[in-house]
Amino acid sequence: MFFCALGKICNYETDRHRGGENVREARRTEVIVVGAGLAGLSAALALYDRGIDVIVLEAQSRVGGKVLSVVEDGVTVDYGAQWISPHQPRMKALLARFGLTTVPTFAKGDALYVLRGDRMRGNGDRPPLGWTGKLDLFRIRRKLDKLAGTIDPGAPWKSAAAPELDALTMETWLEKAAFSTAAKSFCRAVAEEGLCARLSEVSMLDVLWDYVSAGGVDKLMTAEDEWIAGGTQQLPAKMAERLGDAVRPDNAVRTIRWGGGQVTAYTDREAWTGRRAIVAIPPTFTNRIAYEPPLPPDRDQLCQRIGQGAVIKFVLVYDTPFWRERGWSGSAYGETGPIQTVLDGTEPGQRLGVLAAMANGGHARRLGRLGKEERKTEVLRSLARFVGEKALEPVAVYEKDWSADPWIRGGYGGRFAPGVLSEFGPSLLEPVGPIHWAGAETATVWRMYMEGALQSGERAAEEVARALEAERPAGGSAARITR
Ligand SMILES: Cc1cc2nc3c(=O)[nH]c(=O)nc-3n(C[C@H](O)[C@H](O)[C@H](O)COP(=O)(O)OP(=O)(O)OC[C@H]3O[C@@H](n4cnc5c(N)ncnc54)[C@H](O)[C@@H]3O)c2cc1C
């Protein structure tokens, strides 16, 4: 009995590790894409548009990854990515291609700030700081832009200042660069939200890479200027619709084996062989796949060192957008948390008022350890510090802890601690045999944003298309395989 049970366990382990290798014969395609987030879908669509046969293997039963919209009691709730900048051409073009429109983020009235325990009103151009704080903030922004200007967004590890910047966390840099506690507090409130991590967890080189990839601090400040009417998930859903049955949900890739000019991906249900693969999942997750032969040491060591950050997004519905009547835009920023950023997510013409509130990094991790009711109480109290007691009376509260999602396990994207990018950075983008890498972490424009995810997919598709072209026998042309 004991040995029989042991045998079952061993067989199960083998099956789980090798995935569909034991249950199905591999089907053929030209390119295998792993992950149907925006990066994977963008890579697949770019190849499909060129007439190259492609399949997309997705672990979950839905597409979109960190993009997830659900209609809850008649309200569209965006649990994940929601906002875009007018300076994001790929998002704009793709939305237009699929007939989707954006709504400007409500910005009439003041933003609210809770800095060092005090509630203040202000806005992006008029931060609520005394004149020393304002002067200091101006200096900090100038320094950030100047430093970001020294970084090559295509290969930040090559920049002359990379070793020095990669030896610092943003916290140590800020402590040295700023002289006013008010300006430091303001910077912490804004930066921790974007990083989904404490400033003491993230390398300054990683932070500057974000800034330069977005086109500088001013452009980065426009990241939340618009949002997608009717829910962001319409975008990945339309992309997947275009790809048809090439998108294969409920197919977590467990093993990738390559050699002899081909690559095979095994899931628990299917196996696919192609000439190239694009792995479009966060680098941390790329290390949860078994590779045969194994990945080079530098690639594996890189992935061992990336933390995914943490975020819980709360969507709060009120009987009216009451903050607007009080002359507040609904935007709010705080250092002390647990809520650090709030934005108005009320659809135009909607009677109800909707606020989207984010707890990030250490705040998200602490809230995640509480029970649901305790967490809700803390979140409402935190919101009340921004918009007053009325915040305590929502009609509904929705939440998603993305660290608890087994296929996301973190925040907006992977973050690099000091020393990682300068030592292992090149392995982030370098293909391994026929395996190419995509995902918002590998973007060189708008890293960790939806725009970056799209660009990373396009870049990987371009690499693959070039490689296939180079390998094609003279006179041959691309042909879609009939399955
Ligand atoms: C709460 C939240 C709010 C955000 N807000 C914004 C915003 O307002 N604006 C913005 O631009 N960005 C925002 N972001 C960031 C944005 O969502 C991401 O940058 C982007 O969606 C990442 O896309 P991706 O395809 O690189 O990765 P992902 O979205 O993580 O997609 C990866 C996919 O791969 C799948 N997968 C993982 N492992 C496997 C495997 N072994 N086999 C098969 N499939 C696998 C996963 O299930 C997932 O579907 C937000 C993110 C979060 C979490």
Side-chain angles (χ1 to χ4, degrees), residues 324-455:
R324 294 182 181 181
E325 294 148 23
R326 300 176 188 188
W328 301 330
S329 62
S331 303
Y333 307 90
E335 182 198 11
T336 36
I339 295 301
Q340 288 193 291
T341 302
V342 186
L343 288 165
D344 187 325
T346 310
E347 294 260 10
Q350 192 172 31
R351 181 183 53 80
L352 298 164
V354 177
L355 288 178
M358 265 72 67
N360 303 76
H363 297 297
R365 292 191 290 257
R366 190 179 65 75
L367 284 184
R369 292 179 200 121
L370 304 178
K372 196 168 176 180
E373 277 311 304
E374 209 183 338
R375 182 162 55 245
K376 181 173 154 188
T377 307
E378 279 220 25
V379 167
L380 293 181
R381 277 206 205 113
S382 185
L383 264 174
R385 279 200 288 277
F386 290 114
V387 290
E389 296 288 295
K390 180 85 175 110
L392 301 173
E393 298 158 16
V395 180
V397 179
Y398 304 102
E399 61 165 28
K400 181 160 173 72
D401 180 352
W402 287 88
S403 303
D405 184 314
W407 293 105
I408 304 298
R409 287 290 188 216
Y412 304 160
R415 302 287 14 164
F416 298 88
V420 180
L421 273 176
S422 50
E423 176 90 24
F424 301 103
S427 306
L428 189 62
L429 295 161
E430 224 160 64
V432 176
I435 305 171
H436 300 250
W437 311 107
E441 287 81 358
T442 70
T444 53
V445 305
W446 286 97
R447 297 177 70 231
M448 311 303 176
Y449 286 87
M450 293 187 280
E451 176 77 4
L454 296 181
Q455 182 257 342

Side-chain angles (χ1 to χ4, degrees), residues 153-157 206 209-210 279-284 286 295-306 308 413-416 420-432 435-444 447-448 456 459-460 463:
W157 41 87
D206 189 17
W209 191 11
D210 277 8
V279 179
I281 63 182
T284 313
T286 64
L295 295 179
D298 272 355
R299 170 73 202 188
D300 191 86
Q301 293 255 323
L302 167 82
C303 297
Q304 289 176 35
R305 288 166 167 79
I306 301 175
Q308 290 297 314
R415 302 287 14 164
F416 298 88
V420 180
L421 273 176
S422 50
E423 176 90 24
F424 301 103
S427 306
L428 189 62
L429 295 161
E430 224 160 64
V432 176
I435 305 171
H436 300 250
W437 311 107
E441 287 81 358
T442 70
T444 53
R447 297 177 70 231
M448 311 303 176
S456 76
R459 187 257 312 139
E463 282 172 14

Side-chain angles (χ1 to χ4, degrees), residues 218-293:
D218 282 347
K219 290 247 172 66
L220 202 62
M221 294 298 161
T222 66
E224 285 148 356
D225 278 7
E226 299 173 26
W227 51 286
I228 297 150
T232 316
Q233 196 162 350
Q234 295 170 96
L235 185 61
K238 297 233 180 227
M239 294 165 86
E241 201 178 293
R242 186 88 183 87
L243 292 162
D245 71 355
V247 179
R248 313 202 60 89
D250 296 314
N251 269 301
V253 172
R254 310 289 187 191
T255 304
I256 295 179
R257 182 180 282 173
W258 81 90
Q262 58 182 32
V263 53
T264 304
Y266 300 96
T267 79
D268 292 333
R269 302 187 311 137
E270 299 182 3
W272 289 86
T273 296
R275 289 164 66 202
R276 296 272 155 174
I278 296 175
V279 179
I281 63 182
T284 313
F285 277 85
T286 64
N287 254 22
R288 296 182 185 184
I289 296 174
Y291 299 85
E292 296 173 16

Side-chain angles (χ1 to χ4, degrees), residues 113-120 128-134 179-189 333-337 385-386:
Y113 297 80
V114 177
L115 299 175
R116 294 173 304 150
D118 296 329
R119 192 177 78 159
M120 291 168 274
L129 304 173
W131 71 268
T132 39
K134 278 199 186 108
F179 60 77
S180 119
T181 47
K184 278 184 209 171
S185 173
F186 183 90
C187 290
R188 262 191 214 104
Y333 307 90
E335 182 198 11
T336 36
R385 279 200 288 277
F386 290 114

